[in-house]
Amino acid sequence: MADAPVVAVRGEAYREVAPELARFTVTAVARDRDRETTLTRLAERAAAVRALLDAAEPAVDRRETGQVNVWPVTKRAGDRVVAWQGSVGTTVTVTDFTSLGELMLRLADQEQVEVAGPVWSLRPDNPAYREARQAAITDALARAREYAEALGARVTALRELADTGLTAAPPMLSKAAYARSGESAPELELDPVPQPVQAAVEARFTISEPVLG
């Protein structure tokens, strides 16, 4: 076995899977010459965001408060404070895409609130990852057999198998379309972005003696 011929191959697999999660950020901001007024307005706007997210709870998988920033705004010529500014950011993860556009518009309709996203993704335990790995192994074995057959030989054993990586596409923003008709509420249509999943393995197989004549 140690002296048996060896063929080294790379197996690959590619899948496109519908996303499971959509993440977007909501940032409430406030600015005023008076610090206390800024803090009060910031708290009120953050509370309004929380109330809307509470109402949408069935569709919201999770929400996480990011940084809370409050800072003085000064003039270029000196350290004199001319205003105070603050922001509170929240990352929202949604699993119900049917209400995603409506929720984002309702949040964006709040005073001094910024909404950015969504970014589509899969859960870490999505079956597509396992299926891609298995398909990559199958591809490696098929390639090894093709090489062996071209030499008049056959694959006899697996000597080594290495996972060279499982990758997904970088986060992508969705396409969005706004529609307004008369006095009706605006509509936001979102097109979920399919998530590419790619797996690759490197394998070494022993083969029977080639027929080279």
Side-chain angles (χ1 to χ4, degrees):
M1 179 69 69
D3 297 330
V6 174
V7 59
V9 296
R10 177 181 174 90
E12 298 177 323
Y14 179 86
R15 300 283 189 275
E16 283 194 351
V17 186
E20 297 176 290
L21 306 173
R23 292 184 178 88
F24 64 90
T25 58
V26 187
T27 305
V29 298
R31 178 187 173 104
D32 194 86
R33 293 182 179 180
D34 179 68
R35 180 173 60 181
E36 292 302 322
T37 301
T38 299
L39 295 177
T40 299
R41 290 177 179 174
L42 183 61
E44 291 173 348
R45 290 164 186 170
V49 168
R50 291 185 63 85
L52 283 175
L53 293 177
D54 286 340
E57 195 64 38
V60 176
D61 184 67
R62 63 187 298 177
R63 62 190 190 193
E64 302 160 298
T65 301
Q67 289 186 334
V68 178
N69 297 311
V70 178
W71 66 97
V73 179
T74 59
K75 281 190 172 181
R76 296 180 182 178
D79 296 331
R80 186 169 68 88
V81 176
V82 297
W84 290 86
Q85 188 162 335
S87 65
V88 178
T90 302
T91 300
V92 183
T93 303
V94 174
T95 55
D96 182 5
F97 301 159
T98 59
S99 59
L100 176 60
E102 178 185 356
L103 175 59
M104 293 180 67
L105 283 186
R106 291 178 63 189
L107 289 165
D109 194 44
Q110 300 301 300
E111 184 179 3
Q112 293 296 302
V113 169
E114 302 174 359
V115 178
V119 175
W120 310 95
S121 64
L122 299 173
R123 296 184 187 275
D125 60 350
N126 188 287
Y129 294 120
R130 176 175 55 84
E131 294 170 2
R133 289 190 292 266
Q134 293 177 344
I137 295 174
T138 300
D139 182 57
L141 179 57
R143 294 188 185 194
R145 285 173 173 164
E146 290 176 1
Y147 285 124
E149 291 173 2
L151 295 170
R154 58 184 177 81
V155 173
T156 57
L158 172 66
R159 173 167 290 187
E160 182 180 331
L161 179 66
D163 186 350
T164 61
L166 180 70
T167 60
M172 298 179 64
L173 295 179
S174 71
K175 299 177 182 178
Y178 297 86
R180 182 183 295 272
S181 177
E183 297 300 324
S184 62
E187 296 179 0
L188 177 62
E189 298 179 3
L190 300 176
D191 300 321
V193 179
Q195 301 299 292
V197 176
Q198 184 173 2
V201 297
E202 292 181 353
R204 293 165 59 86
F205 296 89
T206 58
I207 62 174
S208 59
E209 287 295 330
V211 179
L212 302 178

